[in-house]
């Protein structure tokens, strides 16, 4: 069984979380047990069942009740259940799994947790010349975007380094090295959400191609971020066709040394941006080419190779930069359902709790241990990568409700709740229920796969009471289930 290292236990004690979790376990177990029993503090509508407006919408969508898991319960400890269905049945939650990952991270790592990226030198430095290696050590930062990486390199230049005569060594040992197939999930490896986790993840390992048609010259200008040294770009030809499937018409071929667009780009499209995961380029190549170009732009020179390695005993720390604090990171994850960032947080839990390089095994064990410490029964629980981008993830409505209930009673509740999309206003809920009373009154995380539609979060009813809402759909007709889920949110607002 995985054990919490002493430094992690001290962190939990400082946050006053460890004693609280132990004291609350019996209450949580009795609450979750009660949630699974009929006749529990039923509201005026029903104890076990769904409101007619929801069952009607499901009937129209051709979604059977056995494909639906629902639980609506108040947050005030009265155990009042407004609606429920199949609360002990295991469902694929899709991106709603991020709620478990991010709440576990907040409570285990703490709200001030940051990821560190470090630069070491191993060699002599004199007159701006580094006669030796520059070592970049990744700490799993989920948000090492281009601006932050540029500032990181700018600090190195300010420390007097200009000409690097040795190698660029990339230390990515904070996460375990493993084979990862970006095509495994849906056969589309160039989608940005299919990028894998990495201890030295730069810019989500994504390329942004910007297309600017110029009718006067009959050409298309193509620029790319991040800029990469040695990468050749062959632009598409300009066409007068309707814009249509502009990405498909480009006929992109993207490999480690060149990007070519063998097709056309319609002038009718105007300026556009395409975000791509360069899956044929290794992370070492991606970081190395980005570093070389940015370093040259900063007036530096680099003549060595880009190699994998680790910080050597003789290396000296030159620069260390920290990521934004954890609450800002989980806000990006939950508001915009960022899968790559969620994977980074998940593996960080594994690394921090096990004291070993983070991998999916020790990360899953860290989450299970956390659930057990909270008194939440998890026999049907399965988590693959922390993001919900998985066919094997399983969670019950009862477990999700238990996590959300305890999160609401936590001193970290404001950070967690504010990370969820605000219905009708932002994130993945910005276009839903905009004209309904529940708009602005609920924080709801969404989840979507081909046969999955999920929502979970909090609704503040017109009465002023707050309710946990979980609604999971696993069925071939799940894409038709949004109206039923929206109907439940509005119903809770009106009747809670």
């Amino acid at each position: 069984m995985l054990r919490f290292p002493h430094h992690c236990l001290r962190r939990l004690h400082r946050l006053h979380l460890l004693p609280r979790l132990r004291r609350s376990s019996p209450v949580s177990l009795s609450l979750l047990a009660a949630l699974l029993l009929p006749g529990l503090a039923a509201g005026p509508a029903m104890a076990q069942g769904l409101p007619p407006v929801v069952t009607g919408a499901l009937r129209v969508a051709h979604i059977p009740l056995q494909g639906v898991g629902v639980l609506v319960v108040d947050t005030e400890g009265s155990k009042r259940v407004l609606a429920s269905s199949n609360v002990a049945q295991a469902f694929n939650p899709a991106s709603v799994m991020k709620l478990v990952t991010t709440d576990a991270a907040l409570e285990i790592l703490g709200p001030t947790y940051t990821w560190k990226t470090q630069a070491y030198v191993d060699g002599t430095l004199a007159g701006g010349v580094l006669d030796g290696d520059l070592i970049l050590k990744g700490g799993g930062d989920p948000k090492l975007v281009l601006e932050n990486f540029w500032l990181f390199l700018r600090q190195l230049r300010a420390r007097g380094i200009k000409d690097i005569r040795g190698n660029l060594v990339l230390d990515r040992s904070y996460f375990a090295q493993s084979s990862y197939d970006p095509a495994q999930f849906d056969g589309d490896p160039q989608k940005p959400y299919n990028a894998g986790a990495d201890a030295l993840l730069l810019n989500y390992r994504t390329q942004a191609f910007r297309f600017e048609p110029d009718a006067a010259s009959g050409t298309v200008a193509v620029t790319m971020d991040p800029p990469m040294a040695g990468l050749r770009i062959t632009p598409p030809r300009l066409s007068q066709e309707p814009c249509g499937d502009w990405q498909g018409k480009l006929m992109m071929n993207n490999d480690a040394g060149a990007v070519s667009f063998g097709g056309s780009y319609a002038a009718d499209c105007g300026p556009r941006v395409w975000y791509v995961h360069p899956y044929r380029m290794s992370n070492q190549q991606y970081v190395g080419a980005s570093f070389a170009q940015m370093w040259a732009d900063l007036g530096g020179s680099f003549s060595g190779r880009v190699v994998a390695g680790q910080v050597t005993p003789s290396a000296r720390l030159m620069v260390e930069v920290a990521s934004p604090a954890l609450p800002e990171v989980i806000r990006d994850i939950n508001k915009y359902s960022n899968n790559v960032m969620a994977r980074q947080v998940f593996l960080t839990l594994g690394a921090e709790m096990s004291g070993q390089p983070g991998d999916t095994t020790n990360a899953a064990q860290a989450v299970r241990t956390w659930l057990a410490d909270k008194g939440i029964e998890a026999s049907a629980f399965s988590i693959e990568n922390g993001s919900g981008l998985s066919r094997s993830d399983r969670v019950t409505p009862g477990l999700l409700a238990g996590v959300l209930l305890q999160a609401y009673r936590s001193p970290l509740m404001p950070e967690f709740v504010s990370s969820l999309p605000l219905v009708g206003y932002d994130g993945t809920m910005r276009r839903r229920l905009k004209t309904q009373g529940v708009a602005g009154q609920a924080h709801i995380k969404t989840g979507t796969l081909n046969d999955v539609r999920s929502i979970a979060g909090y609704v503040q009813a017109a009465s002023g009471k707050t309710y946990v809402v979980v609604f999971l759909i696993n069925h071939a007709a799940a894409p038709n289930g949004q109206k039923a889920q929206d109907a439940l949110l509005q119903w809770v607002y009106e009747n809670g």
Side-chain angles (χ1 to χ4, degrees):
M1 179 178 176
L2 181 146
R3 300 289 182 186
F4 288 99
H6 290 301
H7 73 280
C8 297
L9 292 174
R10 287 197 299 272
R11 180 181 293 137
L12 292 173
H13 279 298
R14 286 198 302 272
L15 294 169
H16 307 293
L17 289 173
L18 191 60
R20 177 181 59 78
L21 296 181
R22 288 173 174 168
R23 286 198 304 269
S24 66
S25 294
V27 176
S28 304
L29 286 169
S30 64
L31 172 59
L32 289 175
L35 289 175
L36 304 181
L37 297 175
L40 166 68
M46 58 198 71
Q48 297 292 313
L50 303 176
V53 66
V54 175
T55 56
L58 289 171
R59 193 178 307 114
V60 170
H62 303 290
I63 299 173
L65 289 180
Q66 59 263 35
V68 170
V70 175
L71 186 53
V72 180
V73 60
D74 74 48
T75 60
E76 297 177 358
S78 66
K79 305 175 188 175
R80 179 170 179 252
V81 175
L82 288 189
S84 65
S85 178
N86 300 320
V87 295
Q89 181 176 323
F91 291 83
N92 187 323
S95 283
V96 165
M97 183 62 88
K98 292 181 176 71
L99 295 176
V100 179
T101 302
T102 55
D103 188 34
L106 259 184
E107 294 209 348
I108 294 172
L109 304 176
T112 61
Y113 184 87
T114 58
W115 289 260
K116 305 294 192 302
T117 303
Q118 300 169 319
Y120 293 79
V121 295
D122 188 5
T124 60
L125 176 60
V129 176
L130 173 60
D131 191 8
D133 296 338
L134 175 67
I135 306 170
L136 303 185
K137 180 174 176 58
D141 186 350
K143 201 172 180 178
L144 186 59
V145 293
L146 293 184
E147 302 93 313
N148 296 342
F149 191 62
W150 184 89
L151 290 171
F152 177 58
L153 299 185
R154 181 68 185 84
Q155 289 187 47
L156 276 173
R157 287 285 286 112
R159 293 295 304 271
I161 304 176
K162 181 179 181 182
D163 181 9
I164 302 171
R165 302 279 176 87
N167 294 327
L168 176 67
V169 180
L170 305 182
D171 184 342
R172 300 150 57 213
S173 59
Y174 184 63
F175 292 162
Q177 298 301 304
S178 62
S179 59
Y180 172 73
D181 180 5
Q184 180 179 358
F185 178 72
D186 59 6
D188 197 349
Q190 71 179 8
K191 291 291 188 183
Y193 58 72
N194 278 322
D198 198 279
L200 190 56
L201 181 77
L202 175 61
N203 202 48
Y204 316 118
R205 200 175 164 191
T206 297
Q207 292 170 326
F209 293 99
R210 290 173 171 81
F211 300 89
E212 293 274 356
D214 185 347
S217 64
T219 61
V220 182
V222 182
T223 57
M224 183 186 69
D225 280 325
M228 294 185 171
L231 190 69
R232 303 181 307 279
I233 299 178
T234 303
R237 69 179 184 276
L238 186 67
S239 79
Q240 301 304 317
E241 302 171 347
C243 189
D245 178 21
W246 64 277
Q247 294 176 350
K249 294 176 182 177
L250 285 169
M251 298 177 59
M252 181 178 68
N253 182 39
N254 192 352
D255 61 32
V259 180
S260 63
F261 299 97
S264 63
Y265 184 84
D268 184 54
C269 291
R272 298 213 176 187
V273 181
W274 188 10
Y275 294 93
V276 173
H277 170 225
Y279 65 96
R280 292 174 179 165
M281 178 182 289
S282 71
N283 194 66
Q284 181 174 311
Q285 292 170 323
Y286 182 98
V287 175
S290 301
F291 168 85
Q293 185 62 57
M294 289 189 185
W295 191 250
D297 291 344
L298 286 167
S301 61
F302 167 58
S303 56
R305 297 181 299 117
V306 181
V307 299
Q310 295 189 25
V311 175
T312 55
S314 57
R316 310 185 305 281
L317 179 65
M318 295 293 286
V319 173
E320 177 180 274
V321 293
S323 72
L326 181 59
E328 181 178 331
V329 168
I330 71 165
R331 181 181 176 87
D332 285 350
I333 290 172
N334 288 332
K335 290 278 189 188
Y336 308 107
S337 208
N338 191 305
N339 293 293
V340 182
M341 294 178 76
R343 292 172 185 263
Q344 295 285 114
V345 171
F346 184 61
L347 294 190
T348 298
L349 288 172
E352 291 291 317
M353 296 303 101
S354 70
Q356 301 294 321
D359 60 29
T360 56
T361 300
N362 56 31
Q365 185 58 56
V367 173
R368 284 186 168 277
T369 301
W370 172 74
L371 289 170
D373 284 346
K374 293 174 77 67
I376 296 178
E377 201 281 325
S379 59
F381 177 74
S382 177
I383 185 169
E384 181 182 0
N385 55 48
S387 73
L389 196 67
S390 166
R391 305 294 182 193
S392 62
D393 277 6
R394 292 294 181 271
V395 67
T396 66
L399 184 148
L400 267 180
V403 169
L404 290 168
L405 282 168
Q406 294 221 26
Y408 195 79
R409 297 166 187 164
S410 164
L412 302 175
M413 179 271 285
E415 284 78 10
F416 180 68
V417 175
S418 66
S419 77
L420 275 59
L422 182 62
V423 171
Y425 282 86
D426 67 10
T428 56
M429 289 294 296
R430 66 189 179 280
R431 295 190 179 95
R432 293 171 65 171
L433 295 158
K434 291 177 71 68
T435 62
Q436 300 298 308
V438 72
Q441 305 301 314
H443 284 86
I444 299 294
K445 178 75 189 78
T446 61
T448 302
L449 293 175
N450 286 343
D451 54 357
V452 179
R453 289 297 185 276
S454 302
I455 59 170
Y458 306 94
V459 174
Q460 182 171 326
S463 65
K465 294 183 178 180
T466 301
Y467 291 84
V468 163
V469 176
V470 177
F471 194 154
L472 310 178
I473 302 174
N474 283 191
H475 189 263
N480 303 325
Q482 180 174 310
K483 288 185 178 179
Q485 293 176 335
D486 288 353
L488 179 64
L489 294 177
Q490 179 64 20
W491 182 87
V492 173
Y493 171 73
E494 294 174 351
N495 296 276

